[in-house]
């Protein structure tokens, strides 16, 4: 046996401990059947750290903040797309923005939160749609806030560099926006231009902790992340979203997410859209 190779098998006891560390540090309820996926992600990190046993790795996760952050990066799933779920963008462009602009108090700035932003495709989609709206309505002002628990994806989001499938998909869906808001770095790589990047403020935030800003956002995009949480945890996260939204603020969820079985103060407005109501 190569002494520096991470062990191949994990005991049931260590697996349970690993899953409870995932839960403790990310709030994600991961089932034991995800074992192979998790171990495939963790083993290269153990190799880099010259750790051979899962027990040693878990000790480091608990004692060393840098290893803990790496562990969070590895435990999270970060798939994202520009203009993910067209119906959401049709609603945001044709209903939400014109209504908000018509009803807004004088001089106010629209505040949008992409609350599990991954590498930033959702936040930049919001910024591009807002920018296009601003062309028709020069008095419109907006600010996009974006957060995630993974430092790795936040770094990538801030760089705004995309390649391969995610970029190709965007070019196909919105060729004109690609021409307008992307810098071509190479035939397979592009970067969101400086202007759009400046409209988005990224920060690290764990959705299971209290809302960083109370009564602040007009609309929150909380998409494709609740699926990773248990129902009681979803309710806690939604309570934090309630607190962060302004009165009558809206919440947008992912295609496979619904609040219908949960105890919350959100009211169904239309598919994937919920409205904050009085507590
Ligand atoms: C599948 S991606 C969804 C990205 C984007 N919202 C979308 O719909 O395309 C889920 C993201 O949620 C983040 N995440 C998972 N648990 C989190 C938590 N407790 N707090 C904040 N973000 C979390 C992950 O790091 C990941 O980037």
């Amino acid at each position: 046996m190569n002494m520096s190779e991470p062990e191949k098998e994990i005991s049931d006891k260590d697996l349970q401990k690993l899953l409870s560390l995932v839960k403790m540090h990310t709030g994600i309820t991961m089932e034991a059947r995800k074992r192979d996926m998790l171990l495939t992600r963790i083993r290269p990190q153990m190799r880099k750290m010259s750790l051979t046993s899962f027990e040693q790795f878990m000790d480091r996760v608990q004692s060393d903040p840098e290893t803990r952050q790496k562990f969070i990066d590895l435990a999270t799933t970060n798939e994202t797309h520009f203009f993910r779920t067209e119906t959401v963008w049709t609603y945001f462009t044709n209903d939400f923005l014109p209504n908000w602009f018509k009803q807004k108090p004088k001089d106010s700035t629209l505040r949008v939160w992409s609350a599990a932003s991954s590498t930033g495709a959702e936040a930049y989609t919001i910024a591009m749609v807002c920018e296009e709206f601003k062309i028709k309505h020069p008095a419109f002002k907006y600010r996009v806030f974006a957060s995630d628990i993974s430092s790795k994806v936040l770094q990538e989001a801030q760089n705004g560099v995309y390649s391969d499938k995610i970029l190709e998909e965007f070019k196909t869906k919105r060729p004109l926006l690609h021409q307008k808001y992307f810098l071509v770095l190479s035939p397979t790589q592009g970067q969101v231009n400086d202007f759009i990047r400046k409209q988005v403020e990224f920060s690290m935030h764990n959705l299971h902790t209290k809302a960083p800003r109370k009564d602040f956002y007009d609309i929150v995009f909380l998409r494709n992340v609740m699926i990773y949480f248990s129902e009681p945890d979803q309710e806690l996260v939604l309570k934090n979203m309630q607190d962060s939204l302004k009165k009558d603020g809206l919440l947008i969820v992912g295609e496979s997410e619904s609040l219908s079985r949960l105890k919350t103060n959100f009211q169904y407005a239309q598919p994937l859209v919920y409205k904050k109501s009085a507590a």
Side-chain angles (χ1 to χ4, degrees):
M1 188 177 114
N2 182 343
M3 290 309 287
S4 62
E5 269 300 292
E7 56 189 349
K8 284 226 158 44
E9 297 301 326
I10 188 167
S11 67
D12 286 349
K13 189 167 147 255
D14 279 352
L15 178 62
Q16 286 317 315
K17 193 170 163 199
L18 198 56
L19 296 177
S20 69
L21 286 179
V22 171
K23 170 86 190 217
M24 184 189 302
H25 295 301
T26 66
I28 294 172
T29 300
M30 198 177 273
E31 292 170 22
R33 67 186 169 85
K34 297 277 177 173
R35 188 188 76 158
D36 290 350
M37 180 201 80
L38 187 59
L39 299 189
T40 308
R41 292 178 181 182
I42 285 174
R43 277 205 193 92
Q45 181 60 28
M46 288 171 65
R47 209 169 284 130
K48 264 193 215 154
M49 296 168 74
S50 304
L51 299 176
T52 52
S53 81
F54 291 108
E55 202 176 341
Q56 289 168 336
F57 179 69
M58 291 190 284
D59 287 345
R60 290 284 283 274
V61 168
Q62 278 163 303
S63 62
D64 171 31
E66 209 177 302
T67 308
R68 193 177 312 139
Q69 189 56 53
K70 284 260 156 50
F71 176 63
I72 291 171
D73 294 345
L74 295 168
T76 49
T77 296
N78 314 115
E79 183 185 341
T80 191
H81 307 265
F82 288 91
F83 287 93
R84 186 175 194 171
T85 312
E86 284 291 343
T87 51
V88 165
W89 303 105
T90 306
Y91 166 76
F92 186 61
T93 309
N94 297 341
D95 291 349
F96 177 81
L97 288 177
N99 283 335
W100 182 86
F101 189 62
K102 215 184 297 160
Q103 290 163 17
K104 73 174 179 63
K106 195 170 177 289
D107 272 345
S108 51
T109 299
L110 173 75
R111 293 175 185 146
V112 190
W113 183 15
S114 167
S117 65
S118 186
T119 50
E122 180 175 83
Y124 290 132
T125 299
I126 296 166
M128 290 178 209
V129 171
C130 286
E131 204 46 46
E132 291 295 296
F133 185 79
K134 196 174 164 67
I135 293 171
K136 292 187 207 122
H137 307 277
F140 172 62
K141 289 188 284 186
Y142 70 95
R143 190 85 196 128
V144 185
F145 300 84
S147 61
D148 201 282
I149 197 174
S150 162
S151 57
K152 181 170 176 285
V153 295
L154 285 170
Q155 184 60 55
E156 288 177 34
Q158 269 155 341
N159 291 340
V161 175
Y162 300 90
S163 53
D164 306 323
K165 199 172 147 235
I166 185 169
L167 186 63
E168 281 310 311
E169 189 190 46
F170 179 64
K171 277 194 215 170
T172 310
K173 281 184 183 172
R174 299 289 194 285
L176 294 179
L177 294 188
H178 175 260
Q179 256 176 32
K180 196 164 172 183
Y181 296 124
F182 265 82
L183 306 170
V184 177
L185 300 181
S186 79
T188 56
Q189 241 190 2
Q191 183 174 33
V192 176
N193 74 14
D194 274 3
F195 180 81
I196 289 293
R197 277 168 45 222
K198 281 197 188 114
Q199 311 311 312
V200 184
E201 188 178 313
F202 287 98
S203 62
M204 195 183 287
H205 176 64
N206 180 350
L207 294 165
H208 297 269
T209 59
K210 285 219 168 308
R213 298 171 172 107
K214 293 227 175 230
D215 303 317
F216 185 80
Y217 300 102
D218 297 282
I219 183 164
V220 174
F221 288 70
L222 180 72
R223 301 197 306 150
N224 305 302
V225 63
M226 280 195 297
I227 38 169
Y228 300 107
F229 306 148
S230 69
E231 286 193 359
D233 288 339
Q234 291 182 24
E235 286 171 1
L236 287 175
V237 167
L238 288 166
K239 170 76 181 71
N240 292 334
M241 296 299 109
Q242 281 270 339
D243 293 345
S244 62
L245 278 166
K246 283 186 192 164
K247 185 173 169 286
D248 297 329
L250 293 181
L251 176 78
I252 312 280
V253 300
E255 259 175 290
S256 43
E257 295 163 325
S258 161
L259 273 51
S260 63
R261 283 159 36 150
L262 303 174
K263 285 190 217 84
T264 79
N265 284 321
F266 281 103
Q267 269 172 7
Y268 175 84
Q270 65 175 74
L272 312 183
V273 183
Y274 294 83
K275 186 172 172 184
K276 172 173 172 163
S277 59

